[in-house]
Amino acid sequence: MSSTLLLEDTQVPFDQLQAEQIELFRESWKRTGHTREPRVSVSRNVIPITSDLERRLFGADANQDQVGWLDGSISRFGRSYTGEPDRIAEELARDAAVQAADTILLTVPSQLGVDYNTAMLQTIARDIAPALGWSPQNAASPSGNE
């Protein structure tokens, strides 16, 4: 699991640096003799904007990596994906680490409560995730994997 923070900054965009780390991890995994493929996950902050309220609350997001100090060293913080759902889907599809990972963990702001988060997650599931190849599990499927 790789989060939205790297405790280094080489002036390489966050997604590219994280994708490089994933590649190095997988190479090391193979060199140590593991015979199965490791699973790798990355997390991304996602805030779909579908209303005037969301635009007022989250519309000013710069949507870019940030560099700052953490624990005495310079660090790179991955950007948030904020905007219209179709734009977020396009941007995540171009994210090098998202493409390299097996699993994407999405975080959403929690300050607006459970009902609001439920609606936001429904927007993500309906309008963003399918563009990345995700589809909900079919409960009627005998294997539960479809």
Side-chain angles (χ1 to χ4, degrees):
M1 167 55 198
S2 187
S3 73
T4 58
L5 169 66
L6 295 171
L7 295 177
E8 63 181 314
D9 180 45
T10 60
Q11 299 181 352
V12 172
F14 179 85
D15 68 311
Q16 293 175 19
L17 189 57
Q18 195 175 42
E20 180 184 335
Q21 288 181 339
I22 291 169
E23 181 181 342
L24 291 170
F25 167 73
R26 286 187 170 139
E27 289 171 2
S28 176
W29 178 271
K30 287 179 185 176
R31 276 195 313 275
T32 60
H34 295 288
T35 56
R36 67 175 177 82
E37 287 293 316
R39 292 200 52 84
V40 175
S41 64
V42 296
S43 64
R44 293 293 182 266
N45 300 318
V46 175
I47 306 171
I49 295 180
T50 60
S51 71
D52 288 338
L53 172 63
E54 291 161 343
R55 203 165 280 102
R56 282 192 309 272
L57 293 173
F58 307 112
D61 190 328
N63 279 318
Q64 61 188 16
D65 294 353
Q66 297 179 25
V67 176
W69 285 94
L70 184 65
D71 291 334
S73 65
I74 213 161
S75 301
R76 182 167 285 265
F77 303 87
R79 60 171 284 198
S80 291
Y81 289 81
T82 304
E84 301 294 325
D86 58 340
R87 187 179 111 211
I88 292 172
E90 290 171 8
E91 291 172 349
L92 286 170
R94 289 192 307 264
D95 183 304
V98 166
Q99 296 308 308
D102 302 296
T103 302
I104 308 164
L105 303 172
L106 302 179
T107 61
V108 297
S110 61
Q111 65 265 40
L112 297 177
V114 173
D115 292 338
Y116 185 82
N117 279 359
T118 299
M120 187 177 284
L121 291 170
Q122 288 171 335
T123 298
I124 291 169
R126 181 186 62 240
D127 300 332
I128 297 172
L132 300 173
W134 178 86
S135 62
Q137 286 188 337
N138 181 351
S141 168
S143 68
N145 292 327
E146 298 175 19

